[in-house]
Amino acid sequence: MQYLDNYLESKGGYDYTNVKRNELMKAQGFKEMPFTKTGTTIVGVLFDGGVVMAADTRATAGSIVADKNCEKLHTLAPNIWAAGAGTAADLHHQCAHFNAKLKLQRLNLNRQSRVNEVITKLTSKLFPYRGHIGVALIIGGIDCNGPQLASVSPHGNYVYHPFQSMGSGSLAALGILEAKFQDGLTKQQAIDLAIEAIEAGIFHDMGSGSNVDVVAITKDGVDYKRNIRQYNAKSYQRQVPYDFPINNTPALKKYQFDIEKQELSEVGQEMVIIE
Amino acid sequence: MIFNSEFSGQQQHTTQPIVTGGSVIALAYKGGVVVGADTLCSYGSMADFKNVEKIAQVSKNTIYVSSGEFSDFQQVVRELAKIDRSALQYDDGVHPSPRDYGNYLARLSYKRRCKINPLYLQNVIAGFHNGERYLGLVDIYGTYLESNFVTTGFASYFCKAIISNYWNENCTLDQAKQVIRECFKVLFCRDCRAHDVIQLAYVDEQGTHIEQPERVETKWDFSGFKNRANEKLHTQ
C-alpha cells in the first residue's frame, strides 16, 4: 500500500482528471443534479455556561411535507450536538459517520471529544467536495475549552458566533436573534430565545413548520426536549386497535357447517351471543 | 430582474434598477399609521446618497414612500401630486382619499407591467381618512394589498417575526415606533444595503407628521463577536 501513498503524494492536492470529461458532458446538455435544500430553521445560542440549540421538525420534498416530525438535532458526541439543515440524506449519513469516527477516537485516546476537533474533521471532509455534500450544520458543545458554538457551511466554511441560524428560515430566526440577543443570558433565557427564533421560522417560512426541538448542553449534561412546543397538535387521538364491544352487532341467524358431511344447516333464528 | 429590450434604441424598457432605496416598514397603531424608511440611496453596492428624506406627503392625510429605483419613486411622487392639484382646481372640497391614491398607483404599476416596462418599485401608501386608518402595499407587478402592517424588501424576511411578536394593531404610537426602530436595527446588522439613519412619519386625525431623521443604535461588540478565542483554537 506504500506505493499508493507515494503516488497520491506525488500527484498533489487536487485531482483534475475529470475536468475535461465534465466539460464535454455539460456541452452535450448534461444537467447537474440540483442541490435540494430541505426547508429548515435551526438556531444556536451561546449562554453563560453552555449552549442551546433548537430546530423545527419539518422535512420537505419540493413543496410537499415529507416528514411532519423529523429529528434535526443529532448527537456527534455525548457533549457535542449538531443541528442540521440541507439535504436530509447527507445530514443523516455525515452525522452518523462522524459520530462513529469520534467514538472510535474517544476509545483510542480515552479523551473527551472537542468541538474544534469536530469542526476541523467536518470541514476537511466537506471542502474537497466543493459544496456537493449538502450539509449546513450548527455545531454546539461543551468541552475543556468551555462552551462553543460554530456553524459549518456546505463548502467547508466555519464561523464561531454567539448566535447562529441556518436553513431557509434562517432570516426570520435571525431577525429575532439580532433583536433579542444579549451577553450573559441564563440557560432558561437562552432556551426561550431559541424557541422564539424557531417559532419565527415556523410561522414565517414555508419550508419550516410543525414542532420545536430544543437541546441545552451544559457541564452538568445534556437536556434534550423533543417537541417542546407543538402548534398544531391533534386534539383527538383515535383509539387503536378499535375495541368492538360484545353484542355490538345483533346476530339474525346462526349456521353450522359440518366438515365431514359437507353440509350447511341452520341452527337458530333468535339473537345469539357470539363469543 | 432583467427584461430584454426588443427594440434597442427606439423604445427603452427598464432592465435593472440603478439607484435604489432600502426597505420600508409601516405599522398601524391605535389612531393612525406610522411609516419608517432609511435615508440611504444606494448606487449598486455603493452607499451614495446618505441624507435622502424619502417620505413624501402626497396630500394632507396621505404619505407615500417606496423601495426600489429612486427615479421611478420621484416620478410617481410627481404623478400623485398632480392628482391632488387637479382635485384642488375643482374647488368643491372633495379630495382623494388615501385609498384612491393606492388604487391609482396599483393601476399605474399594472399598466406598466403589462407593457414589460415596470416601475421598479415596491410602494407603501399610508393615510388616515374619515376616522379610518389606511395602509396599502403595491408591488412591482401592480399587486395591491391593504393590511395593518406592511414591509418591503429585506424587511419582509427579517422583520415580519419581530412585528408579529411585539406589535398589535391597537398599540400606542410610541410602541409602534419602537418596533420599527428595532426592525431597522436588525436590518442595519444584516442587510448590506441598509443604513442606520431612518426617518419616521405618522398620519393621524390631526394630519401628517414627518419627523426629522434619527440614528438607530446598534450593538456590534457582543463578547462572542469580539473575543474570537474559539477560532484561535484551530490555529494553535
Side-chain angles (χ1 to χ4, degrees):
Chain A
M1 294 300 277
Q2 185 68 33
Y3 83 96
L4 265 180
D5 290 335
N6 291 338
Y7 171 64
L8 286 170
E9 211 177 283
S10 67
K11 269 180 59 172
Y14 294 111
D15 184 3
Y16 292 101
T17 47
N18 281 334
V19 170
K20 214 168 185 178
R21 176 206 73 168
N22 291 345
E23 282 181 359
L24 204 62
M25 285 168 81
K26 266 193 208 159
Q28 287 173 348
F30 175 75
K31 273 205 198 122
E32 272 186 25
M33 267 201 334
F35 165 29
T36 44
K37 192 156 70 133
T38 58
T40 298
T41 312
I42 50 173
V43 303
V45 180
L46 207 56
F47 66 93
D48 267 353
V51 59
V52 165
M53 294 198 289
D56 74 311
T57 62
R58 174 184 283 188
T60 52
S63 322
I64 302 170
V65 176
D67 190 344
K68 289 183 283 188
N69 205 3
C70 69
E71 287 192 34
K72 302 190 187 183
L73 294 168
H74 310 274
T75 323
L76 296 179
N79 58 325
I80 304 173
W81 281 57
T87 313
D90 286 337
L91 283 166
H92 180 255
H93 285 275
Q94 293 301 316
C95 286
H97 173 74
F98 283 104
N99 193 343
K101 202 166 171 180
L102 290 172
K103 174 117 199 217
L104 267 175
Q105 188 173 52
R106 280 201 301 280
L107 289 168
N108 271 324
L109 301 179
N110 200 18
R111 298 265 186 284
Q112 196 191 41
S113 300
R114 299 189 194 182
V115 175
N116 60 339
E117 173 196 326
V118 173
I119 304 289
T120 316
K121 286 186 157 65
L122 257 173
T123 52
S124 306
K125 172 80 189 276
L126 293 176
F127 181 67
Y129 286 89
R130 300 172 62 78
H132 287 284
I133 297 185
V135 301
L137 293 162
I138 296 182
I139 315 280
I142 189 157
D143 58 26
C144 55
N145 292 315
Q148 290 155 75
L149 180 67
S151 74
V152 176
S153 81
H155 282 267
N157 174 53
Y158 64 89
V159 67
Y160 284 79
H161 277 163
F163 57 89
Q164 313 262 15
S165 78
M166 298 205 104
S168 60
S170 65
L171 271 71
L174 209 49
I176 295 289
L177 288 172
E178 282 285 353
K180 295 292 152 194
F181 178 79
Q182 308 281 346
D183 277 329
L185 289 169
T186 64
K187 178 176 165 184
Q188 191 53 47
Q189 285 173 329
I191 290 177
D192 290 336
L193 179 59
I195 292 176
E196 198 180 333
I198 299 289
E199 245 182 54
I202 287 173
F203 289 119
H204 297 278
D205 172 47
M206 306 229 273
S208 314
S210 299
N211 319 320
V212 184
D213 293 346
V214 171
V215 67
I217 308 170
T218 55
K219 242 184 357 202
D220 307 320
V222 168
D223 194 10
Y224 176 46
K225 295 257 176 33
R226 168 89 171 133
N227 289 357
I228 191 174
R229 292 273 190 279
Q230 292 184 307
Y231 300 104
N232 277 311
K234 275 189 185 159
S235 49
Y236 169 73
Q237 289 285 351
R238 133 180 96 92
Q239 251 187 326
V240 175
Y242 194 75
D243 207 8
F244 290 91
I246 296 172
N247 284 332
N248 205 38
T249 312
L252 300 174
K253 287 183 186 172
K254 188 174 174 185
Y255 292 93
Q256 195 176 20
F257 185 74
D258 199 328
I259 295 176
E260 284 177 8
K261 288 189 202 153
Q262 296 277 297
E263 271 173 16
L264 185 71
S265 55
E266 208 171 299
V267 170
Q269 271 197 308
E270 334 85 37
M271 283 244 293
V272 181
I273 298 172
I274 300 173
E275 286 178 62
Chain B
M1 216 174 4
I2 298 178
F3 298 85
N4 286 322
S5 176
E6 275 188 0
F7 316 100
S8 54
Q10 273 198 320
Q11 199 172 38
Q12 294 295 319
H13 293 250
T14 302
T15 51
Q16 49 167 330
I18 307 292
V19 177
T20 52
S23 313
V24 175
I25 301 172
L27 305 174
Y29 66 94
K30 194 178 179 66
V33 181
V34 58
V35 175
D38 63 15
T39 57
L40 174 67
C41 281
S42 312
Y43 183 65
S45 57
M46 175 167 121
D48 207 352
F49 310 106
K50 287 211 204 139
N51 289 309
V52 184
E53 294 187 18
K54 292 181 199 160
I55 302 182
Q57 179 174 5
V58 294
S59 83
K60 233 184 358 197
N61 58 357
T62 314
I63 51 180
Y64 163 62
V65 65
S66 66
S67 60
E69 171 58 54
F70 197 62
S71 61
D72 282 342
F73 166 72
Q74 289 176 320
Q75 181 59 20
V76 171
V77 168
R78 288 180 211 120
E79 296 287 329
L80 295 180
K82 270 189 213 171
I83 298 176
D84 195 35
R85 272 204 300 280
S86 62
L88 271 174
Q89 284 165 12
Y90 279 101
D91 201 20
D92 55 5
V94 176
H95 280 280
S97 71
R99 182 169 283 115
D100 296 335
Y101 287 107
N103 270 306
Y104 177 77
L105 191 48
R107 303 252 50 81
L108 190 64
S109 295
Y110 188 70
K111 172 187 168 180
R112 292 286 298 264
R113 167 259 174 102
C114 288
K115 295 188 184 226
I116 323 287
N117 184 15
L119 283 167
Y120 219 102
L121 298 171
Q122 277 188 310
N123 307 286
V124 174
I125 315 240
F128 194 89
H129 183 71
N130 281 350
E132 265 183 35
R133 309 174 293 203
Y134 172 81
L135 191 50
L137 173 70
V138 181
D139 76 1
I140 190 176
Y141 307 102
T143 315
Y144 174 67
L145 293 166
E146 285 178 31
S147 180
N148 274 330
F149 73 98
V150 145
T151 56
T152 68
F154 262 108
S156 302
Y157 295 96
F158 286 111
C159 304
K160 282 230 157 82
I162 302 173
I163 294 171
S164 299
N165 290 355
Y166 298 103
W167 163 88
N168 67 75
E169 55 171 355
N170 291 319
C171 65
T172 65
L173 173 61
D174 283 323
Q175 285 170 335
K177 279 190 193 173
Q178 209 40 48
V179 171
I180 294 183
R181 287 189 190 108
E182 195 70 41
C183 290
F184 276 105
K185 271 190 222 180
V186 171
L187 283 173
F188 184 58
C189 287
R190 291 287 171 170
D191 176 11
C192 292
R193 311 278 187 269
H195 196 41
D196 56 349
V197 178
I198 66 166
Q199 194 180 24
L200 294 169
Y202 61 97
V203 193
D204 59 12
E205 230 174 355
Q206 276 83 49
T208 321
H209 314 264
I210 301 182
E211 298 184 352
Q212 287 300 304
E214 57 183 85
R215 182 178 297 273
V216 290
E217 293 299 322
T218 46
K219 187 175 165 67
W220 295 76
D221 56 355
F222 289 115
S223 66
F225 288 111
K226 261 182 17 181
N227 169 21
R228 303 289 203 145
N230 292 329
E231 280 179 12
K232 293 201 183 82
L233 288 168
H234 283 261
T235 49
Q236 270 169 1

